[in-house]
Amino acid sequence: MVTASTVQITVLRGRDEECRAIRRLLGGLPECGGALVFQGEPGSGRSALVGYAHRHADRCAVLASAGLAEEAALPYAGLQRLLDPVLDRAEELPGPQARLLRRALAGGGCPAQRRLALGLAVLRLLAVAARDRPLLCTMDDVDRGDTPTAQTLAFVARRLRRLPVAVVLTATVAPDGLPGHRLQPLDERDSAAVLADRLPDPPVPPVAAALGAAARGNPQALVDLAEVLTPAQCRGDEPPPEAPPADGALGRAYRARLDELPADTRNVLLLAALDEDGEPDTLVRAARAGGASVAALAPAEVAGLVRVDAHRVAFPHPVARAVVVAATPLAERRAAHLRLAGVLDGPDHRLGRALHLAAAAAGPDPALAAELERAAVTAGGPRACDALERAAELSDDPAHAAARRVDAAAYAWTAGSARRARRLLSGLTAGPVPAPAAARAELLRGEVELRCGRTPTAVRTLLGAADALAATDRPLALAALARAGEALCFGGEQYRYADLARRARALARPNDPPAVELTSTYLAGVAATLSGDLHQAGPALRRAVVLGGQLAGPALTPAALSWAASAGLLVAVDGAAHRLAERAVEVAHGRGELSALPRALELRAMAEYWLGRHEAAAESSREGLRVARETGQANAAAVHVGLLAVLAAVRADRETCLGRLREIGEAPAPHSRPRALAQWALAVLDLTDGRHADAAARLAALARPGTGRGQVLVQVMATPYLVEAAAHLPHRPAAAAALALFDRWASSTASPSRRALSARCHALLAPRGSAEAEERFRAALRLHPADAGFERARTALLFGRELRRARRPRDARTHLHDAWEAFTLLGVDAWADQATAELRAAGESVAAPAPAAAHLLTGQQLRIAQLVAEGATNREVAARMFLSTRTVDHHLRNIFHRLGIRSRTELARALT
């Protein structure tokens, strides 16, 4: 187990806004006072904020206390503990106020009609105590103590503006009439920082992401997870914990609150914990069936153990639900399950009823197992896995149990739980497994291994599954071959793809439905592409794209759409590929197929890269990375990190690129796709910095054209950079070979953008200042689509540089100015700077933007601001800058914040 740090952590991650609010409050003393109320679930950092206030109150006297559940029935007990250090100064109050205050704090109570006077007495006492120096009063967990104390402090907190007194309160629910700062869950970055603060060595990024997801952004849950993390889990060698420990500090906090509740509240709370659907009507009926009322939950709501609204009964954190269940004896849990099953009598509740009955079952029950299976297949979704796993446990036939376990594993994998899927599959060794179920299990093992493990193992497993399925389920056998192909390409073994195509031909039939034909045609097209037979590859891949658009009903799956999108990228129909990938993402989201999302988002990002929408591609990869890490798909995550590194390098964002490369680390195999993407990103940085030989060497080593070994497809994508680097070198055999392959591919497509890149590459390799170079550059500019954006600007920059070096500065300036404008529009500052330097070398000065805006905004923000100031709508800005409307909205909010303005009119004035 890793030894978590015991050093007090004074940096509060993810609480910058709250810390600023505390500093503002204390900084206003003694001129004016005020109050802050921080509200949030247990473990959200409320007590840490109180400690932060104490550390920054060096100019203040401090009164501190906390609400105690043990004293909740003692009126003013919390107030007595808070004021005790200054109670001797009550003699400075008017006699009636002093007597009223002393009586209340001594346990004599306060009549209702005298509460106003008591509140004013407390207020005056604080004013007297603050005469010497400003005063800070804090009460942690104010809502856990006695109600009169909370009411009195709320009264005082509303009347501090003219007093040198600051009050900081924390609560699960803010006292009535006081605005509260709701503490939000930590984001992924802050969660990773909390873990890094607590551990001797920060966990690798996938582990940090998984722990952040398990903690749900709760700081204490993160600390609890850090305390049980083993070194192997920290390194990523073993799976990390799936949930915070129930006996950790967060679990103990919830258990303490649970123990304080009355019995009827705990009984109803147990029903809520066991009913994962969270429907209030179900809870009302189940409580009534047990002779209770849902109103009994009120103390649990006040304690922060549950939230109830008109549509849902929810727990603030999974640990809270787990604690409620674990604290209840087995017999009571079974009785509660039966009560819930008894009220779930509608057809929409079939699965829920069966699950509750199964939870109460004490031994094998074949009839109930069959009902669970039927309900799971009908309902689908994540809970189908629960139902089928329980059905396997209740089965008295080992064959039925094995088949149900395989189905449960499939649902687990679809829902994004790779670890659960593996656990279910590993349990198949305990007994006989029917041949069809065994074959499906091998297919599932292979897919999980492809996304999460070692691709050589995935290839062997998937090929074995294809052989086992060939005689009984051709569509699944073809799917296994397609997955094996993905594994081969991931590992850089494309030369083996021809064998897959041969197997696929044996499985194909003339009248196959579209989904089956798509898979076999896709395999044939990819194999032909990788073997260099582009004449055969083009028609097959275009047919796969067409078939992808014809999918409907059960055949419309994220996998089939992803294969069609991949086919579209290989024949350079980028728009169609993007539509298919986008549809795959939509279908995966709509059906809850989380395991399919990372691959679909990878393909969408690739299409957006080729369409010149680099920011959109980065958004797709960031989403793909998040989902891949949440679902434990280490290989998919590494691909997305590699893509993000390339996109950052292309934009000359060195810091972001190197940060992404550190995330990849040394884990990927030498010839794997993530390693190739990392080398491509480093090569682009080398090229930007003028290390042409290093850049060319990196890119040339990605693959060995003609052998099918290495990352051939990545090298093809990177060929324009390889040629640009090699153009500065005396010997260019690797670049010439790669360009020959790129030319054959580009000429086999109908893509003007690919042919434009080919023409640009030939221009770079032509003799400097030659008519051939100029002709090729002009051809490239003609071929670039109008919306090519970045690549067209790169061509203009390279052409302008060529003309300037050929001592034609006047001709050069036209192209260099076009490049500068495009790069500025896209917010690519480093490339805009290169264009500026070339323009100055060509004898033209480039006007700098307004000093204030230039210093406060990034290049992209400045261009967005200029367009908005000219009257463009957010949608128009998005279209002109090849961004999503959401991205423009985000940038515009940041622009307003940075410039200190609130309207578009003010923005226009700020830029004039």
Side-chain angles (χ1 to χ4, degrees), residues 271 274-286 289 336-357 371 383:
L271 293 171
L274 296 177
D275 180 30
E276 295 188 9
D277 289 334
E279 295 182 6
D281 181 62
T282 300
L283 184 60
V284 169
R285 295 170 64 200
H337 278 298
L338 290 173
R339 197 175 305 147
L340 286 163
V343 300
L344 294 173
D345 48 9
D348 293 340
H349 296 120
R350 181 181 181 184
L351 179 57
R353 173 182 170 80
L355 281 167
H356 284 300
L357 290 173
E371 171 60 14
R383 295 188 68 193

Side-chain angles (χ1 to χ4, degrees), residues 497-521:
Y497 214 102
D499 178 59
L500 301 184
R502 179 186 58 77
R503 292 172 181 240
R505 282 195 300 272
L507 292 170
R509 301 291 183 270
N511 297 318
D512 275 335
V516 180
E517 183 187 353
L518 188 158
T519 312
S520 60
T521 304

Side-chain angles (χ1 to χ4, degrees), residues 615-616 619 622 825-826 860-869 872-897 904 907:
E615 185 61 34
E619 282 187 20
R622 282 191 290 268
L825 182 70
L826 293 168
Q860 189 172 51
Q861 288 174 338
L862 179 61
R863 186 53 189 156
I864 290 173
Q866 290 168 339
L867 291 172
V868 170
T873 66
N874 288 14
R875 188 178 297 276
E876 290 168 342
V877 173
R880 292 178 65 178
M881 295 190 67
F882 314 107
L883 302 173
S884 68
T885 307
R886 183 175 60 186
T887 300
V888 174
D889 293 341
H890 171 75
H891 282 309
L892 198 55
R893 286 194 297 273
N894 289 337
I895 290 166
F896 280 21
H897 176 73
R904 291 171 180 254
L907 178 60

